[in-house]
Amino acid sequence: MGALEQAIQQAILKHAGKLQVKQVLSGVAKDVGELTCTVERLNAPALYDVRLNAIDDDLDSYFTVYPVEGSEVLVAIIENMKTEAVVIRCSEVQMVKAKIGTTELELDANGFRFDRESENLQTVMTDLIAEVQKIIVVTGTSPNVPALEAIKNRVKKILK
């Protein structure tokens, strides 16, 4: 490509960049659902069905942040269409969900749930403690069943 063609291409790209409107709007999250929320804005119409993920398909991998109802959010407008918007930041988080293949994580104020394939971490930990509690030692000291039960309850506080 010659110098003239490069200069023309750069001028076109520079001009096209000026024509493209890019918007980031702020508002308050309302009606937070599994995939979308409503964003109410000060002195402007509300934005409905604002995506929590850029893509709203059934994905094998995702990372979704759920804003707290009433928290401040920033919303990006996709392709300059206000009917296509996505939450890009929030001031307060209600829950986070992530999935990569068969591994899933859910985190909220009640703790976290961690699943891999068909296994759940809380179930595995609880089953382990239950089996250890069954151990009977002929000579020496048997497992401290009340202490193991207390540990099982502590695991349930952390994992949901």
Side-chain angles (χ1 to χ4, degrees), residues 34-36 51-64 66 84 99:
E34 188 65 26
L35 299 174
T36 64
R51 300 175 192 177
L52 299 178
N53 280 322
I55 306 297
D56 59 358
D57 280 339
D58 185 24
L59 303 171
D60 287 334
S61 297
Y62 58 83
F63 183 84
T64 306
Y66 295 84
E84 297 293 326
K99 179 181 178 188

Side-chain angles (χ1 to χ4, degrees), residues 112-125:
F112 71 94
R113 179 184 55 81
F114 185 73
D115 298 339
R116 171 118 168 90
E117 295 176 2
S118 62
E119 295 288 357
N120 173 277
L121 184 56
Q122 182 189 32
T123 304
V124 171
M125 295 292 293

Side-chain angles (χ1 to χ4, degrees), residues 47-98:
L47 299 172
Y48 298 96
D49 298 320
V50 176
R51 300 175 192 177
L52 299 178
N53 280 322
I55 306 297
D56 59 358
D57 280 339
D58 185 24
L59 303 171
D60 287 334
S61 297
Y62 58 83
F63 183 84
T64 306
V65 176
Y66 295 84
V68 171
E69 294 265 344
S71 66
E72 297 287 325
V73 294
L74 291 178
V75 175
I77 303 300
I78 302 168
E79 298 289 334
N80 298 319
M81 299 184 327
K82 288 200 174 159
T83 58
E84 297 293 326
V86 62
V87 172
I88 55 173
R89 298 286 287 186
C90 59
S91 63
E92 295 179 72
V93 176
Q94 172 184 325
M95 178 173 40
V96 174
K97 286 185 180 180

Side-chain angles (χ1 to χ4, degrees), residues 16-25 76-77 80:
K18 289 179 183 176
L19 292 176
Q20 194 174 45
V21 178
K22 297 175 176 96
Q23 291 184 334
V24 175
L25 309 171
I77 303 300
N80 298 319

Side-chain angles (χ1 to χ4, degrees), residues 3-22:
L4 178 60
E5 288 90 359
Q6 285 180 334
I8 292 170
Q9 183 180 19
Q10 287 177 349
I12 291 170
L13 290 173
K14 184 177 178 183
H15 183 67
K18 289 179 183 176
L19 292 176
Q20 194 174 45
V21 178
K22 297 175 176 96

